[in-house]
Structures are given as structure tokens and as C-alpha cells.
Amino acid sequence: MRESDAILESYDESVKNGLRTILATVVHVKGSSYRAAGARMLVDEYGYMTGAISGGCLEGDALRKALLALEQNRNKLVTYDTSDEDDAVIGAQLGCNGIIQVLFEPVDPANDLNPVELLRRANNKNKTYALASIFNLNKREHQQGTSLLIDETGSITSETNDESLSEAIYDVAVSTIKKRVNHFGEYVSKSGTQHAFIDVIPPPHSLVLVGAGNDSQVLSEMARHLGWSVTVADGRPSHANEKRFSNCQVVVANPESILDDIEINESTAVVLMTHNYNYDLAVLKLLLDFNELTYIGILGPNKKHRRMFRDLRNEGIILNEKHHAKIYAPVGLQVGAETPAEIGLSILSEIQAVLTGSDVKHLREIDGSIHQKDQYQFEKVQL
Amino acid sequence: MKNSTKTYLDYNATTPVDERVLEAMIPFFTWSFGNASSKDHIFGWESADAVDVAREQVADLIGATANEIYFTSGATEAINLGLRGFCSANKSEGNHIITCKTEHKAVLETCQSLEESGFDVTYLDVGQNGDVDLTELESSISSETLLVCLMHANNETGVINPVKEIAELCRSKGVPFFSDATQSVGKLPVDVKEIGADMIAFSSHKLYGPKGAGGLYITGENKPTINPLFTGGGQEKGLRPGTLNVPAIVGFGKACEICENELVADAERHIDLRNYIEEKLIELFDVSINGNSKDRLPQTTNVQFRNIDSTHLLRRLRNLAVSRGSACSSATSQPSHVLTAMGLSADEAMSSIRIGLGRFTTHKDVESAIREFEDVIPQLKPVAG
């Protein structure tokens, strides 16, 4: 389950039981940390935590800060400096060396634009969103909180009454969504300085498995652990059914019509693995028309996809560079995979890398931050 | 700051608590009285949160990060923790400490005590303006040198040491540098990163905060190892155990925040007032200014009234609070160790007084101080000499 899904579920449960909650969000990191900005954690009034803002070293103290924010009923910004190994309070024994800013926000269920509800809106659609958390590095100042949601069409949901700030963040967010990179801004006006973290939240990864064999079954289970939504499509009801694929959308259809009911966007990966050459070929032909699709994996040896390309060419369908760029055949990374689960790992690793735009390499080969979203410099914006 | 008709010009000894500081502290004496180490209830969380804020306010004033600040009961404790704690943790690395004859007693007495436990201490001389000779410092550093301890600004004369150059020299020799910045923090812009000191001690009550709180800055970059002086409940990362003095720490923090905003303007005003008082005293009496030609604190002057016994002078100045120097030694009638180290004779040192201006000193205060001198000095018999 995705962290945000878990947070929303836990929030709904808490509200149902009349429990108050606080949302903690990592809004800035300087140096290295276990979790990047955008990590979130929900704490209920009993101290039960869903999600995580660190590898565990901050959670103990964060719990007390969360409960204090709840008691005081106001947002709080807390700095964790994990560079000091002698600090037993946060016990930063991971060897992290970073300064982490965490925003704690008591959540008011009566407000349907509270931070969790904004997160729900950002989480629940087929679009990419920018969720802005406004804070002030001077902790003695008012911490406005998570209060602006902008979608890729430019539509805005706002919980702030500071219009000039809101407009400035809006402008930044629109370009931030396009670039798909989080943004840290320092907004300077005559009345003072505010900071905002703009978290770009793409649609959840979705995986379309064409083929409902036993290897698909393993792959679907593994993908569910990652919080991806999984659709399984096959022509055989004996294979593609809810019993074999619980928690998946199951589509039983001819290859020509299987994509009719499947949502495909930039966060979708499709893997052709029916073990039926003609079925896979027919679906591949349809997929070539989906420009937003960035990943098509084809299970099978080189011989198979070369034959597919040849047969398409014979039909007058010439694959262009863009097509070739998104086709991963044979599917998967070289990780020595043999068993169905190992092959699943190889395929999912490749999809994760492609959908997040990451170069595949050992982390030890990387200098600096190992997080993708590592552009943590505050950009100055004059209001 | 007035005590009926009396004028207080001894701000180097201590300062009154700024009312804004007092206001910030009051809740922490009464309803927000929790132990900052209480983890299970809001009283504790609130106190811990207030200490976090104060730690940032203190850190901001000196350009440090909050995790480099350790709260103590005052500068003396911070100095003891820094010097003894460092020496005890690093004694295998060497046994030589370098300090200076004009340091505050908190440093000198601690160094003497370390000498008794086997460390060698070099006490550097100063020139007639109170300045440390960097060549002498450099030649004193040996492979056995564990630590250099030199103050930022002198408490009696206000003379400022070139701490940045000292820090650079120490770094080039691989020796950590400790500085007692009790007199400068809050009066001068102090940036520990720019200076490059490894440890800095300072105090709340010198900068309009309450007595009973102080700070030790320990750099987070190549953090030196320091042993605690006593054991307890692990507060201040185990380095300074004991229940935190939350109201004083809150006041210390607030006082630092105010200094950060106001110290430049205060300093400009103080320089004008000090220049005025010095010019007037020179015009009216046979006086000279000790440490005059060096960089000095903006609000401090040390004045030698030739052939006047300062003990008699002070007793006559019934409406003016000035002093003979360090508040710690003023119960005794010894000539100041700082002034004699600068080459003054015992008599000259005994003829000198320190005037310390502060945030609440007005031009009127300075005028009445000058009038008080005018009234009193003609009544005093010149001492032989």
C-alpha cells in the first residue's frame, strides 16, 4: 500500500473513532537523510503512527512534538539535526548527516480543505498535482501549513488568504508540475519572509499485466506491496479471475478490446506476458498509439520482439524512435533472476527506475544525495 | 536603568534583565513549570519546546547551529566544562595549554587547577595596550600543545583580541582554540564560523538576560571530544546533566534575540556616549585611557585617574556605580592583574576604574556621571607619586 493511501486510511479510521490527528511532513532537508522532503506521517492522539518521516531515529521525539502541536492546536515547525552523533534524543545512529525540517499540522476534520483532505485530492485522481506546504524557517513565526493544491490544468484549491503569496506559489507550482521536480521557495515581501515546499505528486504508479499466468500472479502480488494499482488482462477467464488476482482489476477480453476499460497515463507501465505471441502482438499494436505511455515491457527472448517488430513492419507499421525508447524487451534488469519472484523483482525494479526517470546503477557509484528529489536549494521569489 | 538617584555604569559586571526578557520568562516560573526532560505529558513537552526555541535564538546570535549550543549555569561553568572537559578527554594527545595573563579568573583559576593535575600552562604576556603577540603565541605552540585559550574581549579594558587570526594560526598548527566571549557576545557581532573557534563560552546576564544561564558553543565540524564534569540524567547530550533551568534559558534565548536585532544600533550609540565621556574626563582631569589604542568594546572604558586612589574615589561616588574591574575580585584591594600585565604599576592600576555603558544608559546618565566626578575628585587628596 502506498504511504499516502495508508495515511488516508488511517485518517478515516481515526475520524470515525473520534480520534484527533496530526500530519507531519518533511518540508526540507539539507544534507542527507533517510527520507526525502515529501515524506509524511500521520499521528493520532494515542501516538499511533502511520507512515514515516525517517528511518526511525526521529519518530520518538516527533511523536512528542506532534502531541504538543495537537494540544496547542497550532502548526509547528521542528528542526532535526542528525549530524551530531552524540545526540541521544534523536539518536541519529544511521550516520545521516542532515538538517531536516518537519512541519506538524493538527488536522481539523470539520475543514474539508485540511491538509489530509488536500492530500486525498492529490492522491485520488489521474492527474499530477502540486501540493504546497507553507512554513517559516523562523519557528517563532506563524506556520501557515499545507494549504494550496494545484493540478496540471492550473486549477487551484486554496486554503490561504494571503493572496500575493498564493499567486506567487501558484506561478511556481505550474512550472514545477511541468518539470516534475519538487520546489523549495523563499518568498520575500515587505511584511516578511515565508517558505514553501511544493511537492509534485504524480498519479500512483499503475501496472497493466497482459497475461494472467502464474508469473503474472507473483508479479501482481509484489506490485501491490509497492502500492501500485494493478490491472490484469487476458482472454482466458480460467486464468484472469478475482480468485487468482484479488485486489486487482481483472479484464477478460479479446486483445483488440482489452484496453477499452483500462486507464493509461504517464505513470502506467504495461507488461506483455501472455506467453501467447499473437495476443501480445495485437496488444502491442494498440499500445503504440498511447503517447503518454512511457513503459512497455515484453517478456521473452530477443528473438520474440524482433519477430514482433518484423511482423508489424510487414503490416506497414514502422516503429519510430519514441516507440523504441519506451519498449523494454526483453523486460527487466540484469539481476540474476531465475524464479518467478526473482523475475518479478527484475521487472518491477526496471519499471520503478523508468517511471521515476532514474539511471540504473549501484548507489555506491553516486556522489552526493541518493535521493531523486535532491534539489533542496531555496529559490528566492520576490512578492 | 535607575536606582532612585543612582546611575549604573557597570554593565560589564552584569546587566539588568530587559523587561521583554522578563515577560518571556514569567510563564515558565508559574504555569509552564514542567521539567524539560519529562517525556510523558504536555508540561514537559512545552518546556522542551521552549528550550528548543531558546537554543535556536542563542545559536542565531553567534552564527552557530542549535545543536552546537550547550546550556550551562553561566560562563564560569561553560569555561570549566570546555577547559577541564576537553583536557580530561584529550590528555593522551598532549599536556600543554596556552592562555594569557589578562584572561578572566574563570579561565586563570581553571588553568591553575589543571596545572595542579599535571598540565603545563603558558601564560602569554601582553603589550601595553593589552594586545597578545601572535608571534609569541606561535612560538609557544609545541607538539604537546593541547589547547589555546584566549578571550575575545577583555572584561576590564574591553580590549579585543584578533580571534580570527588566532583561530587561523591554531588551525594551521592543528591545535583547537577556545575563546571566552562572555564580554563580546551581545555587544559585538560575533560569528563563530567566521572566527573559526572550536569552543566559545558566554553568559546570559551580560546581555540583559537573567543570571543562572550560560552557553558553551562546541563546533559541530570536527567536534572535539569533551568529558562531562559531573554525571546525571543525560541532559545536554550527557555533557551537562541536571534539570534544565528552563525560565533562565528562555530568558537567555529571548535576550539573544533582542541583541541580534539591536546590538548594532546599541553599539553605535555607546561609541558616541563613550567618546563623549572620555573626552570630558580628559578635558577635566589628569586622566588616561587604558588600552585606548586597541580595538575595544564599544561600551567599555578603563580610566586611570592619575594620583587618585580608586578605592577612595569609588567610595565617594555615592550616586554612581562604576568599578575597579572584574566583579569577581573587587572584594579585595589587589591591583588588577589585567592592568599590571599591561605594564601599569600597582599604583597606576589602583588609580583606574572601569566604566561600562549599556542598553539603558542615556546621555543624561553620562552627564550626571561626569558631574559626580566633578564634585568628588577635587575633594580627594592626591596620593604620593
Side-chain angles (χ1 to χ4, degrees):
Chain A
M1 188 186 278
R2 280 212 304 174
E3 189 166 67
S4 48
D5 292 330
I7 285 174
L8 293 169
E9 191 178 287
S10 167
Y11 172 73
D12 291 339
E13 186 72 16
S14 296
V15 171
K16 201 174 82 190
N17 295 326
L19 292 178
R20 295 174 299 158
T21 57
I22 310 98
L23 183 68
T25 307
V26 176
V27 290
H28 190 250
V29 174
K30 193 174 160 195
S32 74
S33 68
Y34 187 77
R35 294 293 308 268
R40 291 182 179 82
M41 171 172 91
L42 189 80
V43 183
D44 74 15
E45 62 180 90
Y46 289 138
Y48 181 78
M49 296 181 268
T50 308
I53 54 164
S54 78
C57 33
L58 307 184
E59 268 70 6
D61 190 68
L63 175 60
R64 290 188 286 278
K65 298 293 186 195
L67 294 173
L68 177 62
L70 190 63
E71 284 300 324
Q72 295 178 333
N73 196 28
R74 62 187 164 93
N75 296 345
K76 287 190 90 65
L77 186 75
V78 176
T79 305
Y80 290 102
D81 190 337
T82 61
S83 60
D84 192 344
E85 289 179 6
D86 294 339
D87 196 339
V89 176
I90 54 177
Q93 276 121 31
L94 261 175
C96 296
N97 189 5
I99 298 171
I100 300 157
Q101 309 288 348
V102 183
L103 181 66
F104 292 90
E105 303 174 81
V107 187
D108 174 13
N111 175 3
D112 59 8
L113 294 179
N114 71 41
V116 174
E117 294 300 341
L118 290 179
L119 184 64
R120 193 195 306 278
R121 289 172 190 229
N123 206 44
N124 212 11
K125 299 256 176 74
N126 263 315
K127 287 188 250 177
T128 296
Y129 284 85
L131 182 58
S133 300
I134 303 169
F135 60 100
N136 198 316
L137 281 178
N138 182 349
K139 294 187 190 66
R140 278 88 80 191
E141 297 290 330
H142 172 64
Q143 305 292 339
Q144 191 165 323
T146 304
S147 48
L148 283 172
L149 182 69
I150 295 115
D151 74 18
E152 59 195 6
T153 66
S155 152
I156 180 168
T157 309
S158 168
E159 242 313 79
T160 152
N161 40 27
D162 183 340
E163 273 185 27
S164 60
L165 178 66
S166 171
E167 278 169 23
I169 293 176
Y170 176 83
D171 290 342
V172 173
V174 168
S175 74
T176 299
I177 291 180
K178 284 202 187 91
K179 289 186 217 147
R180 297 284 191 272
V181 186
N182 290 351
H183 186 272
F184 302 87
E186 184 171 84
Y187 298 82
V188 184
S189 72
K190 277 185 197 128
S191 58
T193 299
Q194 303 243 52
H195 300 86
F197 163 55
I198 300 177
D199 190 11
V200 175
I201 303 177
H205 291 181
S206 63
L207 177 63
V208 178
L209 300 174
V210 180
N214 292 347
D215 47 1
S216 274
Q217 223 180 343
V218 174
L219 194 51
S220 73
E221 281 165 22
M222 293 171 79
R224 291 294 303 172
H225 280 292
L226 295 173
W228 300 3
S229 67
V230 182
T231 304
V232 179
D234 199 310
R236 301 165 292 179
S238 58
H239 287 68
N241 59 55
E242 311 240 323
K243 205 171 165 195
R244 280 165 55 83
F245 292 92
S246 56
N247 293 320
C248 296
Q249 186 195 346
V250 178
V251 176
V252 182
N254 293 325
E256 294 73 22
S257 58
I258 68 152
L259 296 180
D260 295 354
D261 294 326
I262 299 176
E263 177 70 39
I264 287 180
N265 59 42
E266 58 173 308
S267 297
T268 308
V270 181
V271 182
L272 303 177
M273 52 192 304
T274 60
H275 302 268
N276 175 330
Y277 177 81
N278 289 323
Y279 197 105
D280 282 1
L281 180 66
V283 177
L284 175 62
K285 201 154 62 170
L286 298 176
L287 289 172
L288 296 177
D289 294 336
F290 286 85
N291 291 330
E292 61 275 41
L293 188 62
T294 52
Y295 185 94
I296 302 168
I298 304 172
L299 188 75
N302 277 319
K303 212 169 81 183
K304 176 183 168 185
H305 70 261
R306 286 195 195 119
R307 186 178 149 202
M308 290 171 107
F309 297 163
R310 196 172 58 235
D311 288 350
L312 287 172
R313 199 162 51 238
N314 290 341
E315 284 186 50
I317 301 168
I318 312 287
L319 271 59
N320 61 27
E321 262 180 42
K322 280 187 181 165
H323 290 136
H324 282 296
K326 67 172 91 167
I327 293 174
Y328 292 82
V331 66
L333 297 181
Q334 165 64 287
V335 292
E338 291 296 336
T339 66
E342 288 166 357
I343 292 166
L345 179 68
S346 153
I347 295 173
L348 292 176
S349 304
E350 183 175 67
I351 295 173
Q352 168 74 18
V354 171
L355 293 187
T356 57
S358 311
D359 287 338
V360 174
K361 55 172 86 159
H362 293 285
L363 293 177
R364 68 180 181 185
E365 292 165 10
I366 297 171
D367 285 334
S369 173
I370 57 172
H371 291 292
Q372 272 284 298
K373 299 170 175 178
D374 59 356
Q375 291 163 358
Y376 283 125
Q377 206 76 336
F378 279 104
E379 187 189 335
K380 213 170 206 160
V381 181
Q382 201 76 37
L383 297 192
Chain B
M1 184 76 25
K2 285 284 169 75
N3 177 5
S4 61
T5 57
K6 298 191 195 310
T7 304
Y8 183 82
L9 293 185
D10 196 17
Y11 278 83
N12 297 68
T14 192
T15 60
V17 171
D18 190 300
E19 282 181 20
R20 294 167 288 182
V21 170
L22 182 62
E23 196 185 330
M25 291 170 65
I26 283 175
F28 295 91
F29 287 109
T30 52
W31 57 90
S32 290
F33 59 87
N35 186 327
S37 301
S38 291
K39 304 255 185 264
D40 294 334
H41 49 67
I42 184 149
F43 293 84
W45 304 334
E46 266 178 358
S47 290
D49 197 50
V51 171
D52 286 349
V53 170
R55 205 182 298 280
E56 293 202 349
Q57 289 167 318
V58 171
D60 284 351
L61 178 64
I62 62 166
T65 59
N67 78 334
E68 296 173 315
I69 303 296
Y70 297 77
F71 287 120
T72 64
S73 63
T76 296
E77 192 194 335
I79 289 165
N80 271 269
L81 178 57
L83 295 184
R84 292 177 193 273
F86 179 83
C87 290
S88 110
N90 296 278
K91 57 186 171 209
S92 62
E93 307 287 318
N95 75 335
H96 179 224
I97 302 160
I98 300 172
T99 185
C100 175
K101 288 178 176 165
T102 55
E103 291 288 314
H104 190 274
K105 291 283 184 192
V107 167
L108 293 175
E109 297 281 328
T110 304
C111 285
Q112 276 153 28
S113 164
L114 286 165
E115 271 184 290
E116 283 160 23
S117 47
F119 288 92
D120 284 338
V121 182
T122 298
Y123 298 92
L124 297 175
D125 290 320
V126 294
Q128 58 175 2
N129 292 315
D131 48 326
V132 176
D133 183 345
L134 294 191
T135 323
E136 196 192 335
L137 169 62
E138 186 169 6
S139 60
S140 304
I141 296 176
S142 74
S143 59
E144 276 297 307
T145 306
L146 199 53
L147 187 68
V148 169
C149 171
L150 293 169
M151 67 196 336
H152 190 191
N154 188 275
N155 51 303
E156 295 193 23
T157 59
V159 166
I160 296 168
N161 272 332
V163 279
K164 199 176 164 190
E165 284 81 355
I166 294 169
E168 272 167 23
L169 176 60
C170 290
R171 199 175 311 115
S172 74
K173 300 277 182 183
V175 178
F177 172 44
F178 178 103
S179 188
D180 168 13
T182 309
Q183 289 293 342
S184 59
V185 172
K187 300 190 185 92
L188 296 175
V190 172
D191 184 325
V192 290
K193 301 296 172 191
E194 199 189 314
I195 292 170
D198 296 279
M199 289 180 270
I200 275 183
F202 53 109
S203 181
S204 156
H205 78 100
K206 306 283 192 195
L207 44 81
Y208 311 94
K211 292 156 187 73
L216 177 63
Y217 155 83
I218 304 173
T219 182
E221 299 151 33
N222 296 320
K223 186 179 170 191
T225 312
I226 295 172
N227 286 340
L229 301 182
F230 42 87
T231 47
Q235 289 88 349
E236 299 301 276
K237 301 179 206 166
L239 203 54
R240 201 284 186 179
T243 299
L244 292 178
N245 183 354
V246 178
I249 288 169
V250 166
F252 187 14
K254 183 69 185 174
C256 287
E257 184 186 83
I258 295 170
C259 283
E260 197 183 353
N261 295 329
E262 301 182 2
L263 80 82
V264 172
D266 276 354
E268 282 170 8
R269 206 171 56 83
H270 291 152
I271 287 174
D272 288 345
L273 286 177
R274 188 192 62 187
N275 289 348
Y276 178 73
I277 202 168
E278 286 181 350
E279 279 161 22
K280 278 303 224 185
L281 292 177
I282 288 166
E283 178 190 317
L284 293 167
F285 314 108
D286 183 13
V287 302
S288 59
I289 309 298
N290 297 320
N292 187 18
S293 60
K294 285 292 293 173
D295 278 346
R296 282 185 297 158
L297 290 175
Q299 47 63 260
T300 307
T301 183
N302 194 301
V303 186
Q304 187 190 143
F305 289 82
R306 255 183 279 283
N307 303 325
I308 298 284
D309 182 334
S310 65
T311 314
H312 293 179
L313 175 59
L314 290 172
R315 292 288 62 80
R316 288 280 182 162
L317 294 170
R318 290 201 189 94
N319 296 314
L320 177 62
V322 290
S323 70
R324 270 168 305 178
S326 173
C328 312
S329 55
S330 36
T332 60
S333 277
Q334 296 297 316
S336 151
H337 70 279
V338 174
L339 298 179
T340 49
M342 288 163 66
L344 272 67
S345 69
D347 282 346
E348 286 168 334
M350 292 296 281
S351 302
S352 299
I353 59 158
R354 176 183 68 186
I355 301 173
L357 313 175
R359 182 176 291 158
F360 307 107
T361 305
T362 61
H363 194 78
K364 219 171 131 199
D365 291 331
V366 170
E367 289 287 10
S368 30
I370 292 164
R371 266 201 310 280
E372 183 87 352
F373 282 116
E374 281 187 291
D375 288 347
V376 167
I377 291 195
Q379 302 169 19
L380 294 169
K381 283 184 196 144
V383 290

